[in-house]
């Protein structure tokens, strides 16, 4: 509930987005890591505390008065003199959670009270921090650190301040009901996971029966250690362990998607197909079309010519309303005429393939505008051209 309160209250959200270490504890608003000077002109860090006023459980009201409590030594100016202009009294009192406040501050604005909690906390923080900055100009209360984050309603393990700072939280809600499948985690699929894990999709299901090898390390996000590679971890379990640090609902399925287990795709909202075999692609696509599940199939075709690499990146989209082009874009038989199968290290192309696929998926979700509504995109290495085809008519 505290995270909903922060996200939905413009003043608390602004404090968090600007980097203040705020925390809600027992009806009190805490602002941690506030720089100040003590009597010895040493830089210290204290906590500003003020009671919260709420309109309802998820929305702040106007502060009930202009005063705050402070946990720390007596704050002083750059000459070591106590800031008596704001210090109302000095008493040791215990707060909820084992905190003790030492001082009671009063700095009344001309209007008599602060319009919201942002103005209240920011004003006191600036009064204290200004004295510390006179000694060291680099000190700041805005650390962007996360304090005691727990929000059972969120798919993330910590708040998405990137979206809140950009005021696109409502746009992010467009992903909330989606259950995403990613089939194949060798290279492009791992980058797709990296991007999708940063959205509010309900679940991300990973399908791959292979283990991580050295060549995978050179065309996937992150950096695997030698010790980790020597344990030959399953791809899906390794990536689930990494991205579960951010997204709570990563579901690994350590298997190859085949005829006998296609039932596992039922219930998914969208599927990214990232496999090398055209035969496997055709099998999966047939099932997805029958289940009326939209999908994106990614492909890399790379060959060596005269000591350089040429080829293209492909992103093919299939939806319930538009899939008549699929047979023209995706083969049903495998071929050896593709150096990709020899594990050439082309992480940049894997990354580009993934980015183009995820951008198209976000267009389908109406996160991005989609004027052309193309369903097949290719990038040519040799010409650096993007070709968009199979538009919706």
């Amino acid at each position: 509930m505290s995270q909903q309160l922060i996200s939905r209250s413009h003043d608390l959200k602004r404090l968090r987005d600007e980097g203040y270490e705020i925390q809600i504890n027992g009806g009190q608003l805490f602002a941690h890591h506030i720089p100040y000077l003590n009597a010895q002109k040493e830089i210290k860090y204290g906590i500003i505390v003020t009671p919260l006023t709420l309109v309802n459980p998820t929305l702040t009201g106007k502060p009930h008065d202009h005063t705050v409590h402070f946990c720390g030594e007596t704050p002083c100016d750059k000459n070591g003199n106590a800031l008596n202009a704001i210090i109302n009294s000095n008493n040791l009192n215990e707060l909820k959670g084992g905190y003790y406040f030492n001082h009671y501050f009063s700095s009344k604005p001309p209007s008599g009270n602060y319009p919201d909690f942002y103005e209240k906390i920011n004003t006191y923080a600036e009064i204290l921090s200004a004295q510390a900055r006179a000694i060291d100009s680099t000190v700041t209360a805005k650390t962007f650190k996360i304090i005691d984050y727990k929000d059972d309603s969120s798919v993330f393990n910590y708040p998405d301040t990137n979206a809140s700072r950009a005021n696109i939280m409502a746009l992010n809600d467009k992903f909330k009901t989606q259950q995403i499948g990613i089939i194949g985690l060798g290279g492009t699929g791992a980058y797709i996971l990296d991007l999708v894990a940063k959205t509010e999709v309900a679940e991300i299901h990973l399908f791959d029966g292979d283990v991580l090898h050295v060549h995978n390390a050179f065309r996937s996000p992150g950096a695997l250690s030698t010790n980790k590679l020597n344990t030959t971890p399953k791809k899906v379990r390794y990536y689930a362990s990494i991205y579960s640090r951010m997204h709570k609902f990563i579901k690994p399925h350590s298997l190859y998607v085949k005829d006998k287990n296609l039932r596992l795709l039922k219930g998914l909202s969208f599927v990214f197909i990232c496999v090398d075999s055209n035969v496997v692609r055709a099998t999966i696509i047939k099932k997805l079309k029958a289940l009326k599940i939209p999908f994106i199939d990614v492909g890399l075709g790379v060959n060596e010519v005269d000591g350089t690499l040429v080829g293209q990146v492909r992103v093919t989209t299939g939806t319930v309303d538009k899939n008549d082009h699929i047979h023209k874009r995706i083969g049903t038989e495998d071929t050896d005429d593709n150096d990709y199968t020899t594990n050439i290290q082309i992480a940049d192309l894997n990354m580009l393939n993934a980015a183009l696929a995820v951008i198209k998926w976000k267009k389908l979700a109406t996160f991005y505008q989609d004027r052309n509504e193309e369903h097949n995109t290719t990038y040519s290495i040799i010409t650096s051209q993007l070709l968009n085809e199979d538009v919706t008519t």
Side-chain angles (χ1 to χ4, degrees):
M1 187 62 72
S2 65
Q3 295 308 314
Q4 292 184 34
L5 177 60
I6 292 173
S7 297
R8 297 179 184 179
S9 301
H10 72 91
D11 47 358
L12 302 187
K13 176 178 174 296
R14 186 178 177 187
L15 284 168
R16 186 187 66 187
D17 290 350
E18 290 192 6
Y20 281 105
E21 296 182 17
I22 62 171
Q23 175 193 27
I24 297 171
N25 189 337
Q28 305 275 351
L29 174 62
F30 288 65
H32 296 260
H33 198 80
I34 306 298
Y36 70 97
L37 291 180
N38 65 9
Q40 289 73 44
K41 295 183 282 187
E42 299 170 325
I43 296 173
K44 300 289 184 177
Y45 294 89
I47 306 171
I48 294 173
V49 185
T50 184
L52 275 173
T53 305
L54 302 180
V55 174
N56 58 53
T58 59
L59 185 67
T60 57
K62 186 177 180 179
H64 81 280
D65 69 13
H66 62 278
T67 65
V68 298
H69 298 290
F70 183 69
C71 305
E73 301 178 39
T74 301
C76 299
D77 61 22
K78 62 183 180 180
N79 298 312
N81 301 312
L83 293 177
N84 291 321
I86 66 168
I87 298 174
N88 182 282
S89 61
N90 301 311
N91 293 296
L92 185 65
N93 292 282
E94 185 175 6
L95 290 170
K96 184 178 177 66
Y99 292 101
Y100 291 85
F101 65 82
N102 315 71
H103 309 286
Y104 184 53
F105 293 167
S106 175
S107 180
K108 183 180 291 187
S111 63
N113 198 3
Y114 296 98
D116 56 36
F117 286 97
Y118 172 83
E119 293 296 337
K120 186 175 186 179
I121 295 296
N122 189 62
T123 297
Y124 280 103
E126 281 299 308
I127 291 172
L128 298 171
S129 298
Q131 304 305 317
R133 287 198 298 270
I135 303 298
D136 182 350
S137 62
T138 66
V139 298
T140 180
K142 300 176 180 181
T143 67
F144 294 93
K145 291 183 179 179
I146 300 164
I147 304 295
D148 292 346
Y149 178 80
K150 185 177 182 181
D151 185 356
D152 293 335
S153 67
S154 174
V155 299
F156 296 123
N157 289 311
Y158 42 84
D160 180 7
T161 56
N162 182 61
S164 61
R165 283 163 62 85
N167 290 313
I168 58 171
M169 297 298 287
L171 287 175
N172 276 0
D173 287 347
K174 295 183 176 185
F175 305 117
K176 279 191 171 181
T177 61
Q178 293 202 37
Q179 297 191 46
I180 303 299
I182 303 175
I183 304 176
L185 275 293
T188 302
Y191 282 107
I192 288 174
L193 170 61
D194 184 86
L195 298 173
V196 174
K198 296 176 174 67
T199 69
E200 293 193 51
V201 295
E203 294 180 353
I204 305 172
H205 292 260
L206 310 180
F207 300 89
D208 198 316
D210 202 0
V211 299
L212 276 170
H213 298 289
V214 173
H215 64 265
N216 298 126
F218 285 89
R219 63 185 193 194
S220 301
L224 282 118
S225 68
T226 301
N227 289 340
K228 177 57 70 174
L229 285 169
N230 286 341
T231 66
T232 58
K234 290 287 189 178
K235 288 178 182 176
V236 294
R237 299 197 183 281
Y238 169 76
Y239 285 116
S241 69
I242 296 297
Y243 288 95
S244 290
R245 299 170 185 172
M246 170 181 273
H247 199 291
K248 297 176 184 176
F249 303 109
I250 311 289
K251 309 291 186 180
H253 305 273
S254 187
L255 51 82
Y256 297 107
V257 177
K258 299 179 180 180
D259 284 324
K260 63 181 180 181
N261 55 31
L262 287 171
R263 66 186 184 282
L264 296 174
L265 304 180
K266 187 176 181 180
L268 296 178
S269 308
F270 197 93
V271 173
F272 292 93
I273 306 169
C274 316
V275 298
D276 297 335
S277 168
N278 284 339
V279 173
V280 174
R281 281 190 175 100
T283 300
I284 294 170
I285 289 172
K286 181 179 179 181
K287 183 64 174 180
L288 293 176
K289 290 169 68 174
L291 293 171
K292 296 184 178 181
I293 298 173
F295 61 88
I296 286 177
D297 180 84
V298 296
L300 259 167
V302 179
N303 297 95
E304 182 179 351
V305 177
D306 297 330
T308 62
L309 297 181
V310 299
Q312 65 180 18
V313 167
R314 175 186 55 79
V315 174
T316 303
T317 305
T319 65
V320 174
D321 297 323
K322 174 67 175 172
N323 56 53
D324 58 333
H325 61 292
I326 298 298
H327 70 282
K328 298 184 299 181
R329 303 301 178 186
I330 304 172
T332 57
E333 298 180 359
D334 293 325
T335 175
D336 295 328
D337 186 25
N338 185 351
D339 287 347
Y340 183 75
T341 59
T342 64
N343 296 327
I344 294 175
Q345 310 308 326
I346 44 177
D348 43 9
L349 295 180
N350 287 119
M351 191 188 318
L352 175 62
N353 209 1
L356 291 173
V358 171
I359 289 171
K360 180 60 185 179
W361 165 64
K362 288 186 173 183
K363 284 184 176 183
L364 294 173
T366 70
F367 182 87
Y368 294 129
Q369 285 193 15
D370 192 357
R371 179 174 296 177
N372 292 334
E373 297 186 359
E374 76 285 346
H375 283 62
N376 193 77
T377 296
T378 54
Y379 168 78
S380 171
I381 298 171
I382 195 169
T383 61
S384 296
Q385 288 183 319
L386 275 175
L387 180 62
N388 294 317
E389 300 174 290
D390 299 319
V391 300
T392 301
T393 58

